[in-house]
mmCIF file of all heavy atoms in Angstrom:
data_model
loop_
_atom_site.group_PDB
_atom_site.id
_atom_site.type_symbol
_atom_site.label_atom_id
_atom_site.label_comp_id
_atom_site.label_asym_id
_atom_site.label_seq_id
_atom_site.Cartn_x
_atom_site.Cartn_y
_atom_site.Cartn_z
ATOM 1 N N HIS A 67 71.832 141.355 103.130
ATOM 2 C CA HIS A 67 72.775 140.235 103.176
ATOM 3 C C HIS A 67 71.961 138.965 103.367
ATOM 4 O O HIS A 67 71.282 138.795 104.368
ATOM 5 C CB HIS A 67 73.788 140.409 104.306
ATOM 6 C CG HIS A 67 75.010 139.567 104.144
ATOM 7 N ND1 HIS A 67 74.942 138.204 103.958
ATOM 8 C CD2 HIS A 67 76.334 139.889 104.087
ATOM 9 C CE1 HIS A 67 76.167 137.737 103.817
ATOM 10 N NE2 HIS A 67 77.029 138.727 103.887
ATOM 11 N N HIS A 107 76.944 134.831 100.157
ATOM 12 C CA HIS A 107 78.110 133.935 100.212
ATOM 13 C C HIS A 107 77.649 132.700 99.458
ATOM 14 O O HIS A 107 76.888 131.894 99.999
ATOM 15 C CB HIS A 107 78.456 133.531 101.644
ATOM 16 C CG HIS A 107 78.844 134.669 102.528
ATOM 17 N ND1 HIS A 107 79.272 134.483 103.816
ATOM 18 C CD2 HIS A 107 78.869 136.014 102.310
ATOM 19 C CE1 HIS A 107 79.553 135.666 104.348
ATOM 20 N NE2 HIS A 107 79.310 136.603 103.467
ATOM 21 N N GLU A 144 79.606 137.653 96.968
ATOM 22 C CA GLU A 144 80.661 138.340 97.716
ATOM 23 C C GLU A 144 82.032 137.701 97.476
ATOM 24 O O GLU A 144 82.148 136.475 97.390
ATOM 25 C CB GLU A 144 80.296 138.270 99.207
ATOM 26 C CG GLU A 144 81.286 138.960 100.116
ATOM 27 C CD GLU A 144 80.768 139.037 101.557
ATOM 28 O OE1 GLU A 144 79.544 139.055 101.768
ATOM 29 O OE2 GLU A 144 81.605 139.071 102.461
ATOM 30 N N HIS A 207 82.056 145.835 101.188
ATOM 31 C CA HIS A 207 82.173 145.681 102.639
ATOM 32 C C HIS A 207 83.586 146.082 103.042
ATOM 33 O O HIS A 207 84.542 145.785 102.321
ATOM 34 C CB HIS A 207 81.985 144.216 103.047
ATOM 35 C CG HIS A 207 80.590 143.709 102.875
ATOM 36 N ND1 HIS A 207 80.295 142.369 102.908
ATOM 37 C CD2 HIS A 207 79.420 144.356 102.684
ATOM 38 C CE1 HIS A 207 78.986 142.202 102.748
ATOM 39 N NE2 HIS A 207 78.432 143.391 102.586
ATOM 40 N N GLU A 252 81.687 146.470 108.332
ATOM 41 C CA GLU A 252 81.496 145.182 109.006
ATOM 42 C C GLU A 252 82.418 145.085 110.219
ATOM 43 O O GLU A 252 82.706 143.998 110.712
ATOM 44 C CB GLU A 252 81.765 144.029 108.033
ATOM 45 C CG GLU A 252 80.654 143.840 107.024
ATOM 46 C CD GLU A 252 80.730 142.492 106.314
ATOM 47 O OE1 GLU A 252 81.828 141.945 106.190
ATOM 48 O OE2 GLU A 252 79.674 142.000 105.888
HETATM 49 ZN ZN1 ZN B 1 79.246 138.684 103.769
#
Side-chain angles (χ1 to χ4, degrees):
H67 199 306
H107 298 184
E144 181 172 333
H207 290 166
E252 286 196 332

